[in-house]
Amino acid sequence: MNYTLNQLQIFLKVVNTSSITKAAEELNLTQPAVSIQIKNLQAQFDIPLLEIIGKKIYITDFGREIAESAKGILDQVYAINYKTMAFKDQLVGRLKISIVSTGKYVLPYFLTEFLRSNPGVEISIDVTNREKVLESQLLNEVDFSLVSDALENPTFDYVDILSNDLYLVGNNETAVMSPTFNYKDFKNELPLIFRENGSGTRKIMENYFKKQGVDGLKKIELMSNEAVKQAVIAGLGYSIMPIIGIKNEIKSGALKIIERNGLPISTKWKLIWHKDKNLSPVSKAFLTYLIENKAQIRQKYFE
């Protein structure tokens, strides 16, 4: 067997996401690079690790056993690295953070200097929707999570780190309308583009339109903010989106904000954790860093 740690890490990410595309995004690799590594790993086994039916990936029973073994191997490697760093009196450990998809525009800026100052700390980030983010907290699968809407669960502690404003947007042609337009027009002529069920942005949009007294709006449903953004740019419809993920498109003119009473919708980005969780030294150090430096980070990157 000549498999590499890199191959095991990539395979484990594919298993966890059930997607080559999502695995590539989370590992900052191209899809072909991920596919090649999976193919090289598979070549060392006579039994299939994955099955592709249609466009969907299914993990075989054998594949799940290999994934479990891979996790154990990688955990042992991390442990060796941590022990080496500990002997050098460095902060060592691993941070596991789950974030909603738009959080990828936020979290990196709050991690950069902390990781630079603590090279013995490794980070694992799971990008998913709000429903799964909260589930990962309840199941104690992560140290922290990043969400962007009202936190109604008293099980969690949190710290506010950044404002989050959401605007109604269209493209150059579709965004030309009076600020007093009637939302009921969306039922027939102006389709709305929503995120999937479980998304925080979806929940915010539904609550907003409910307050406007309009239900049953004609809609398109997509699985990521990037897909929604591209659909709006292409003129498929309109959406309410966090400004943090569309600043470049607004600046270039590919997207335009549609003015309307009650907008933008303002929420807060919150880093949350389970109240009963016994935070590791690395988690405590990161939380302390965040509280002490969040104002400076906001000013440097977001104001």
Side-chain angles (χ1 to χ4, degrees):
M1 291 290 178
N2 295 311
Y3 52 77
T4 66
L5 293 176
N6 186 46
Q7 289 171 352
L8 294 180
Q9 186 179 38
I10 290 173
F11 175 64
L12 195 57
K13 182 62 71 173
V14 171
V15 170
N16 290 338
T17 60
S18 296
S19 168
I20 296 290
T21 301
K22 290 182 180 179
E25 289 176 354
E26 294 185 21
L27 293 169
N28 291 318
L29 297 172
T30 63
Q31 292 183 41
V34 171
S35 297
I36 288 170
Q37 292 302 320
I38 294 298
K39 182 179 180 181
N40 290 341
L41 179 64
Q42 177 63 76
Q44 300 178 67
F45 300 98
D46 295 328
I47 304 172
L49 300 171
L50 309 171
E51 291 180 344
I52 300 177
I53 301 176
K55 293 184 178 180
K56 191 170 182 180
I57 290 178
Y58 294 88
I59 316 302
T60 65
D61 290 341
F62 178 68
R64 293 197 180 280
E65 290 188 16
I66 295 300
E68 188 64 28
S69 297
K71 183 178 183 301
I73 292 169
L74 292 170
D75 285 345
Q76 288 298 315
V77 172
Y78 295 141
I80 292 171
N81 292 340
Y82 297 156
K83 288 177 182 178
T84 302
M85 292 292 185
F87 272 102
K88 298 179 181 179
D89 293 325
Q90 294 183 18
L91 181 67
V92 295
R94 199 176 189 197
L95 271 178
K96 295 182 179 180
I97 305 177
S98 61
I99 66 174
V100 296
S101 58
T102 317
K104 63 179 175 285
Y105 300 109
V106 177
L107 185 63
Y109 297 98
F110 291 89
L111 283 170
T112 302
E113 289 302 324
F114 177 76
L115 294 177
R116 187 173 294 159
S117 301
N118 299 284
V121 174
E122 295 185 0
I123 181 77
S124 173
I125 301 175
D126 181 31
V127 183
T128 183
N129 64 34
R130 180 183 184 275
E131 186 176 276
K132 292 181 180 179
V133 163
L134 296 181
E135 181 182 359
S136 68
Q137 273 293 328
L138 291 172
L139 295 176
N140 196 33
E141 295 175 343
V142 295
D143 301 303
F144 299 107
S145 297
L146 186 67
V147 296
S148 62
D149 59 330
L151 190 62
E152 301 163 355
N153 195 325
T155 305
F156 305 127
D157 276 330
Y158 68 89
V159 56
D160 289 336
I161 63 173
L162 186 68
S163 295
N164 184 40
D165 294 331
L166 296 92
Y167 291 84
L168 179 66
V169 293
N171 71 3
N172 269 319
E173 297 178 359
T174 60
V176 181
M177 61 180 66
S178 167
T180 59
F181 68 88
N182 192 333
Y183 274 122
K184 292 181 180 179
D185 291 340
F186 281 79
K187 288 188 176 181
N188 299 310
E189 300 176 7
L190 309 172
L192 283 169
I193 303 174
F194 281 77
R195 284 287 306 278
E196 78 284 1
N197 282 321
S199 160
T201 302
R202 166 73 169 256
K203 181 181 177 183
I204 290 171
M205 281 184 68
E206 289 179 335
N207 288 342
Y208 172 75
F209 285 112
K210 186 176 180 180
K211 289 179 181 178
Q212 305 306 310
V214 286
D215 293 313
L217 297 174
K218 182 179 179 182
K219 60 190 176 185
I220 299 171
E221 184 176 298
L222 297 174
M223 298 298 290
S224 72
N225 277 323
E226 186 62 30
V228 172
K229 179 166 57 177
Q230 294 304 322
V232 175
I233 291 173
L236 286 180
Y238 305 82
S239 191
I240 291 179
M241 303 191 70
I243 191 67
I244 196 167
I246 57 174
K247 284 183 177 179
N248 290 336
E249 288 74 18
I250 295 293
K251 186 176 181 180
S252 69
L255 291 177
K256 287 192 174 182
I257 291 172
I258 300 171
E259 302 292 341
R260 190 66 164 83
N261 292 338
L263 294 173
I265 302 167
S266 295
T267 63
K268 294 283 188 181
W269 286 103
K270 301 174 185 291
L271 190 79
I272 69 172
W273 63 96
H274 200 290
K275 283 185 175 180
D276 297 330
K277 186 173 181 63
N278 184 20
L279 295 178
S280 67
V282 169
S283 296
K284 290 179 180 178
F286 176 61
L287 189 58
T288 299
Y289 164 83
L290 188 66
I291 292 171
E292 291 178 350
N293 294 277
K294 62 179 184 177
Q296 292 175 315
I297 296 171
R298 282 198 303 261
Q299 184 177 24
K300 182 176 181 179
Y301 295 108
F302 300 101
E303 295 179 0

